[in-house]
Amino acid sequence: MIDGVAPPGILPLEAAKDGERALQRSLALCREEAACATAFPALQNHFDELMTRYAVPQSINIANPSTGESKPMLVSASSLQGALFSMLYSRETARLVPLTIERAWLGDLSALAALGNAADSINALMHFSVICSEDIPLLDSAEVAAAAGTFMYDGLVQPRVEGCKV
């Protein structure tokens, strides 16, 4: 029996695909539920607009929800995707995805800033030592190219492919 935190497979590409499916399912569930669809009628469009708005990273001041202190934070489409990706791991936070997208679209990024990114809690050197020897060599370049432009490609797949070259 093999037991672990991730299923066997090529982690960055599979995680990006799974993240895309989870996000699209979350958006679809909102469209299907009357109250959510009424509250967030343009959710997919607002998500797409956020990705366009932050395609070029921007430094913006965001208040720390715990202290109220405002500090500059670099926000990019990739960092927003990372925060949403982290939210999709939990039933409790996945329910907040529509509200979080809408608030971010309106300019309130405090919820995303409070969440941070799950990648911040990972030992990067250990992660790359494993992924570069076990996963990246198995990636098919055509599959990687086909994944370009999808949710989490820039934040999950591309940095690992490029990082492992080093």
Side-chain angles (χ1 to χ4, degrees), residues 65-104:
S66 300
T67 65
E69 180 183 340
S70 186
K71 67 176 187 172
M73 178 181 247
L74 190 63
V75 178
S76 65
S78 180
S79 66
L80 292 174
Q81 289 175 355
L84 290 170
F85 185 77
S86 296
M87 291 178 73
L88 292 166
Y89 269 89
S90 158
R91 182 182 322 203
E92 290 76 20
T93 56
R95 292 176 183 160
L96 297 173
V97 165
L99 176 63
T100 304
I101 290 171
E102 192 68 17
R103 288 183 63 181

Coordinates of all heavy atoms in Angstrom, one line a residue, residues 65-104:
P65 N -5.0 42.3 8.3 CA -6.3 42.1 9.0 C -6.2 42.0 10.5 O -7.1 42.3 11.2 CB -6.9 40.9 8.4 CG -5.9 40.2 7.6 CD -4.8 41.2 7.3
S66 N -5.0 41.5 11.0 CA -4.8 41.3 12.4 C -4.4 42.6 13.1 O -4.9 42.9 14.2 CB -3.7 40.3 12.6 OG -4.1 39.1 12.1
T67 N -3.5 43.4 12.4 CA -3.0 44.6 13.1 C -3.6 45.9 12.5 O -3.5 46.9 13.2 CB -1.5 44.7 12.9 OG1 -1.2 44.9 11.5 CG2 -0.8 43.4 13.4
G68 N -4.2 45.8 11.3 CA -4.7 47.0 10.7 C -3.6 47.9 10.0 O -3.9 48.9 9.3
E69 N -2.4 47.5 10.2 CA -1.2 48.2 9.6 C -1.2 48.0 8.1 O -1.3 46.8 7.6 CB 0.1 47.7 10.3 CG 1.3 48.4 9.7 CD 2.6 47.9 10.3 OE1 2.5 47.2 11.4 OE2 3.6 48.0 9.7
S70 N -1.1 49.0 7.4 CA -1.0 48.9 5.9 C 0.4 48.8 5.5 O 1.3 49.5 6.0 CB -1.7 50.2 5.3 OG -1.8 50.0 3.9
K71 N 0.7 47.9 4.5 CA 2.0 47.8 4.0 C 1.9 47.4 2.5 O 0.9 46.9 2.0 CB 2.8 46.7 4.7 CG 2.3 45.3 4.6 CD 3.2 44.3 5.3 CE 2.7 42.9 4.9 NZ 3.6 41.9 5.4
P72 N 3.0 47.8 1.7 CA 2.9 47.5 0.3 C 3.1 46.0 0.1 O 3.8 45.3 0.8 CB 4.1 48.3 -0.3 CG 5.0 48.6 0.9 CD 4.1 48.5 2.1
M73 N 2.4 45.5 -0.9 CA 2.5 44.1 -1.3 C 2.4 44.0 -2.8 O 1.7 44.7 -3.5 CB 1.3 43.3 -0.7 CG 1.2 41.9 -1.0 SD -0.3 41.2 -0.3 CE 0.5 40.1 0.9
L74 N 3.3 43.1 -3.3 CA 3.3 42.9 -4.8 C 2.2 41.9 -5.1 O 2.2 40.8 -4.6 CB 4.7 42.4 -5.2 CG 4.9 42.3 -6.7 CD1 4.9 43.8 -7.3 CD2 6.3 41.7 -7.0
V75 N 1.3 42.3 -6.0 CA 0.2 41.5 -6.3 C 0.3 41.2 -7.8 O 0.5 42.1 -8.6 CB -1.2 42.2 -6.0 CG1 -2.4 41.3 -6.5 CG2 -1.3 42.5 -4.6
S76 N 0.1 39.9 -8.2 CA 0.2 39.5 -9.6 C -0.9 38.5 -9.8 O -1.5 38.0 -8.8 CB 1.5 38.8 -9.9 OG 1.7 37.6 -9.1
A77 N -1.2 38.2 -11.0 CA -2.2 37.2 -11.4 C -1.7 35.8 -10.7 O -2.5 35.1 -10.2 CB -2.3 37.0 -12.9
S78 N -0.4 35.6 -10.7 CA 0.1 34.3 -10.2 C -0.1 34.3 -8.7 O -0.5 33.3 -8.1 CB 1.6 34.2 -10.5 OG 2.1 33.0 -10.0
S79 N 0.1 35.4 -8.0 CA -0.1 35.4 -6.5 C -1.6 35.3 -6.1 O -2.0 34.6 -5.2 CB 0.5 36.7 -5.8 OG -0.2 37.8 -6.2
L80 N -2.5 35.9 -6.9 CA -3.9 35.7 -6.7 C -4.3 34.3 -7.0 O -5.1 33.7 -6.2 CB -4.7 36.7 -7.6 CG -4.6 38.2 -7.4 CD1 -5.3 38.9 -8.5 CD2 -5.1 38.5 -6.0
Q81 N -3.8 33.7 -8.0 CA -4.1 32.3 -8.3 C -3.6 31.4 -7.1 O -4.3 30.5 -6.7 CB -3.5 31.8 -9.6 CG -4.1 32.4 -10.8 CD -3.4 32.1 -12.1 OE1 -2.3 31.4 -12.1 NE2 -3.9 32.4 -13.2
G82 N -2.4 31.7 -6.6 CA -1.9 30.9 -5.5 C -2.8 30.9 -4.3 O -3.0 29.9 -3.6
A83 N -3.3 32.1 -4.0 CA -4.2 32.3 -2.8 C -5.5 31.5 -3.0 O -6.0 30.8 -2.1 CB -4.4 33.7 -2.5
L84 N -6.0 31.7 -4.2 CA -7.3 30.9 -4.5 C -7.0 29.4 -4.5 O -7.9 28.7 -4.0 CB -7.8 31.4 -5.9 CG -8.4 32.8 -5.9 CD1 -8.7 33.2 -7.3 CD2 -9.6 32.9 -5.0
F85 N -5.9 29.0 -5.1 CA -5.5 27.6 -5.1 C -5.5 27.0 -3.7 O -6.0 26.0 -3.4 CB -4.2 27.5 -5.8 CG -3.7 26.0 -6.0 CD1 -4.2 25.3 -7.0 CD2 -2.7 25.5 -5.2 CE1 -3.8 24.0 -7.2 CE2 -2.2 24.2 -5.4 CZ -2.8 23.4 -6.5
S86 N -4.9 27.8 -2.8 CA -4.8 27.4 -1.4 C -6.2 27.3 -0.8 O -6.5 26.4 0.0 CB -4.0 28.4 -0.5 OG -2.7 28.5 -1.0
M87 N -7.1 28.2 -1.1 CA -8.5 28.2 -0.6 C -9.3 26.9 -1.1 O -10.1 26.4 -0.3 CB -9.3 29.4 -1.1 CG -8.8 30.7 -0.5 SD -9.8 32.1 -1.2 CE -11.4 31.8 -0.4
L88 N -8.9 26.4 -2.2 CA -9.6 25.3 -2.8 C -9.3 24.0 -2.1 O -10.0 23.0 -2.3 CB -9.4 25.2 -4.3 CG -9.9 26.3 -5.1 CD1 -9.3 26.3 -6.5 CD2 -11.5 26.2 -5.2
Y89 N -8.3 24.0 -1.2 CA -7.9 22.8 -0.5 C -8.9 22.5 0.7 O -8.9 21.4 1.2 CB -6.5 23.0 0.1 CG -5.5 22.4 -0.8 CD1 -4.9 23.3 -1.8 CD2 -5.0 21.1 -0.7 CE1 -3.9 22.8 -2.6 CE2 -4.0 20.6 -1.6 CZ -3.5 21.5 -2.5 OH -2.5 21.0 -3.3
S90 N -9.7 23.4 1.1 CA -10.5 23.3 2.3 C -12.0 23.6 1.9 O -12.3 24.6 1.3 CB -10.1 24.2 3.4 OG -11.1 24.5 4.3
R91 N -12.9 22.7 2.4 CA -14.3 23.0 2.1 C -14.7 24.3 2.7 O -15.5 25.0 2.1 CB -15.1 21.8 2.8 CG -16.6 21.9 2.6 CD -17.3 20.8 3.3 NE -16.6 19.6 3.2 CZ -17.1 18.4 3.3 NH1 -18.3 18.3 3.5 NH2 -16.3 17.3 3.3
E92 N -14.2 24.7 3.9 CA -14.6 25.9 4.5 C -14.2 27.1 3.7 O -14.9 28.1 3.5 CB -14.1 26.0 5.9 CG -14.8 25.1 6.9 CD -14.3 23.6 6.7 OE1 -13.2 23.4 6.2 OE2 -15.0 22.7 7.2
T93 N -12.9 27.1 3.2 CA -12.4 28.3 2.5 C -12.9 28.2 1.0 O -13.0 29.3 0.4 CB -10.9 28.4 2.6 OG1 -10.3 27.2 2.2 CG2 -10.5 28.8 4.0
A94 N -13.1 27.0 0.5 CA -13.6 26.9 -0.9 C -14.9 27.6 -1.1 O -15.2 28.2 -2.1 CB -13.6 25.5 -1.4
R95 N -15.7 27.6 0.0 CA -17.0 28.2 -0.1 C -16.9 29.7 -0.2 O -17.9 30.4 -0.6 CB -17.8 27.9 1.2 CG -18.2 26.5 1.3 CD -18.9 26.2 2.6 NE -19.2 24.8 2.7 CZ -19.5 24.2 3.9 NH1 -19.4 24.9 5.0 NH2 -19.7 22.9 3.9
L96 N -15.8 30.3 0.2 CA -15.5 31.7 0.1 C -14.9 32.2 -1.2 O -14.7 33.4 -1.4 CB -14.6 32.1 1.3 CG -15.2 31.9 2.7 CD1 -14.2 32.1 3.7 CD2 -16.5 32.7 2.9
V97 N -14.6 31.3 -2.1 CA -14.0 31.7 -3.4 C -14.8 32.7 -4.1 O -14.3 33.7 -4.5 CB -13.7 30.4 -4.2 CG1 -13.4 30.8 -5.7 CG2 -12.5 29.7 -3.6
P98 N -16.1 32.5 -4.3 CA -16.9 33.6 -5.0 C -16.8 35.0 -4.4 O -16.6 36.0 -5.0 CB -18.3 33.1 -5.1 CG -18.2 31.6 -5.0 CD -17.0 31.4 -4.0
L99 N -17.0 35.0 -3.1 CA -16.9 36.3 -2.4 C -15.5 36.9 -2.5 O -15.4 38.1 -2.7 CB -17.3 36.1 -0.9 CG -17.2 37.3 0.0 CD1 -18.1 38.4 -0.5 CD2 -17.5 37.0 1.5
T100 N -14.5 36.1 -2.3 CA -13.1 36.5 -2.4 C -12.8 37.1 -3.8 O -12.2 38.2 -3.9 CB -12.2 35.4 -2.0 OG1 -12.5 34.9 -0.7 CG2 -10.7 35.8 -2.0
I101 N -13.2 36.4 -4.8 CA -13.0 36.9 -6.2 C -13.7 38.3 -6.3 O -13.1 39.2 -6.9 CB -13.5 35.9 -7.2 CG1 -12.6 34.7 -7.2 CG2 -13.6 36.6 -8.6 CD1 -13.1 33.5 -8.1
E102 N -15.0 38.3 -5.9 CA -15.7 39.6 -6.1 C -15.1 40.7 -5.3 O -15.0 41.8 -5.8 CB -17.2 39.3 -5.6 CG -18.1 40.4 -6.0 CD -18.4 40.5 -7.5 OE1 -18.1 39.6 -8.2 OE2 -18.9 41.6 -7.9
R103 N -14.7 40.5 -4.1 CA -14.1 41.5 -3.3 C -12.8 42.0 -3.9 O -12.4 43.2 -3.9 CB -13.8 41.1 -1.8 CG -15.2 41.0 -1.1 CD -15.0 40.6 0.3 NE -14.2 41.6 1.1 CZ -13.9 41.5 2.3 NH1 -14.4 40.5 3.0 NH2 -13.2 42.4 2.9
A104 N -12.0 41.0 -4.4 CA -10.7 41.4 -5.1 C -11.0 42.2 -6.3 O -10.3 43.2 -6.6 CB -9.9 40.2 -5.4

